[in-house]
Amino acid sequence: MSTGDSVLGEADLSLIHALQMAPRASWTQLSSVLGATPDTLARRWDHLTAGGYAWSSLLAARHGADAMLYAWVELECVAGAAETTAVEVSGDACTLGVHQVTGDADLVLLVVCPDLYALDDYLARRIRRLTGVIRSRTQVVTRLHNRPYRSRIEQLTPAQIQLLRGITHGDGRARTPAREQARERAARGRAQLTELDHRIVAELAGDARRSAAELARQCGTSESTVRRRLDALSAGGALHHHCLPAPRFSGRPVWAMVTTDVPPLDVPATVAALARLRQTRLVTSVTGPHNLALALWLRTVDELHEVTASLVRAAPALRIAGTALSLRTHKVGAQVLGPDGRRLHHVRPATPA
């Protein structure tokens, strides 16, 4: 059974794959890799983004003492209130995923907060006061084994990938020894986000390809400062880049959550095996009755049966505890999706006071 209306063309997927690798590469640089003129690539990307079929977004990824806390929050709603509630919480800066699902819960949210106190405040002051919510259940993510909502488009050839890696890095400028040394220094110590960094990242949440000149005007600084900060943040692993097709048009429109039980000593090997499966998007260790929760994107509803069997074959220590399928995805990352599955707008991430 298929739930997708259509899929993007090969040229579209190639462009998205290239932008996943080099989010801010120039159209001229990408043209030498993709075999299309810069104007053609620019028009194609404008069509994809204006139509809500794809997007490129940057979000902050904190580490160490600045690490963010993730949690899965399941909501049970009064009859007929699930969609209204989903639309409402999709507007919250701390929700990175909102899925209307089958099973015991009506909604599954992926929530990110600075710490446990902030999570408790969000649940108490926001979630439990929603008129459509009967009850909620929260599973705190004790370990995020990969990045949220990463994509696994594999459209480019090995030669194209090598060429792309050789000509550019994240901001689209050519590699030089000086810049490489700066990136290596930054990579040795995680970049610390400043107030300016948060403003820059907030501007890039809706469009990661906004120019340095535009960012400088918006943030009240110079282009060189913007470029330098993006270099440092990218090299230090302080950014999550999301260049994604809208799920309904990606060829993998069905979101699913699988909860599993894995003996603690088998978790590392199990996680490594699960991460190699194409359908797996997010692997999390969680609190609660089951210790591992997986988010998947599937081609069809029928594929869930095949994938759960593949999970057990890949990781024999794993036991499936439960599954849920999304009837509708309302939000992915910072992007809010409409009833037709296309991107409507983005929600600006919260910045520290």
Side-chain angles (χ1 to χ4, degrees):
M1 181 189 302
S2 175
T3 62
D5 296 327
S6 64
V7 296
L8 301 176
E10 290 187 3
D12 299 322
L13 295 175
S14 293
L15 177 56
I16 293 170
H17 189 179
L19 289 175
Q20 288 176 347
M21 295 186 62
R24 295 176 60 79
S26 71
W27 298 126
T28 299
Q29 289 173 316
L30 293 177
S31 70
S32 64
V33 176
L34 300 176
T37 67
D39 287 345
T40 298
L41 295 178
R43 285 196 301 270
R44 181 173 294 139
W45 185 244
D46 285 344
H47 167 73
L48 292 174
T49 55
Y53 298 104
W55 56 82
S56 181
S57 174
L58 282 177
L59 298 175
R62 301 182 188 175
H63 305 276
D66 293 326
M68 300 292 278
L69 180 76
Y70 290 84
W72 294 106
V73 179
E74 298 180 357
L75 305 182
E76 185 179 343
C77 302
V78 298
E83 184 169 347
T84 300
T85 303
V87 170
E88 187 169 355
V89 297
S90 292
D92 294 347
C94 62
T95 55
L96 291 184
V98 178
H99 304 276
Q100 199 168 332
V101 297
T102 62
D104 295 334
D106 294 297
L107 300 176
V108 172
L109 319 180
L110 177 62
V111 174
V112 59
C113 292
D115 50 41
L116 281 168
Y117 303 106
L119 175 62
D120 177 64
D121 186 71
Y122 177 68
L123 295 174
R125 295 176 181 271
R126 174 63 165 155
I127 295 299
R128 294 177 189 136
R129 294 185 180 183
L130 291 168
T131 55
V133 173
I134 299 173
R135 61 179 60 86
S136 65
R137 186 181 74 169
T138 301
Q139 299 177 87
V140 173
V141 174
T142 57
R143 180 161 295 182
L144 195 68
H145 294 287
N146 51 8
R147 291 191 170 190
Y149 294 103
R150 80 198 197 286
S151 181
R152 282 190 173 178
I153 290 177
E154 296 174 356
Q155 191 69 24
L156 299 179
T157 66
Q160 287 175 309
I161 292 172
Q162 187 63 33
L163 182 59
L164 192 58
R165 286 173 176 165
I167 65 172
T168 184
H169 62 285
D171 67 353
R173 291 179 291 153
R175 295 179 184 271
T176 66
R179 289 197 182 111
E180 287 302 296
Q181 291 172 8
R183 287 171 63 81
E184 289 173 5
R185 286 195 299 272
R188 285 195 291 268
R190 292 292 190 185
Q192 298 298 312
L193 272 68
T194 66
E195 182 182 349
L196 173 60
D197 295 335
H198 283 289
R199 294 204 305 272
I200 292 173
V201 173
E203 295 295 331
L204 293 171
D207 180 7
R209 293 187 59 78
R210 295 182 66 180
S211 69
E214 186 179 359
L215 292 170
R217 287 193 299 271
Q218 198 69 33
C219 297
T221 187
S222 67
E223 288 186 50
S224 60
T225 298
V226 168
R227 293 184 186 278
R228 185 169 62 252
R229 292 311 306 156
L230 285 175
D231 272 348
L233 294 173
S234 178
L239 298 176
H240 280 325
H241 177 241
H242 301 263
C243 184
L244 299 172
R248 181 172 293 184
F249 307 96
S250 68
R252 292 187 177 275
V254 182
W255 185 88
M257 169 171 271
V258 178
T259 52
T260 71
D261 293 310
V262 181
L265 294 180
D266 292 318
V267 167
T270 298
V271 167
L274 297 180
R276 289 192 289 268
L277 296 177
R278 183 179 178 86
Q279 298 90 343
T280 305
R281 291 297 185 267
L282 184 60
V283 182
T284 60
S285 290
V286 295
T287 59
H290 313 293
N291 63 346
L292 215 60
L294 321 175
L296 316 169
W297 284 104
L298 310 175
R299 295 187 185 280
T300 65
V301 170
D302 299 344
E303 192 181 10
L304 180 61
H305 175 75
E306 301 168 15
V307 170
T308 52
S310 297
L311 294 175
V312 176
R313 283 195 298 269
L318 176 146
R319 297 292 179 269
I320 304 293
T323 60
L325 284 170
S326 179
L327 301 169
R328 178 179 161 192
T329 293
H330 292 261
K331 189 177 185 183
V332 176
Q335 316 304 318
V336 177
L337 308 182
D340 61 359
R342 297 190 293 171
R343 175 189 183 271
L344 292 176
H345 58 83
H346 80 283
V347 176
R348 193 181 179 92
T351 56

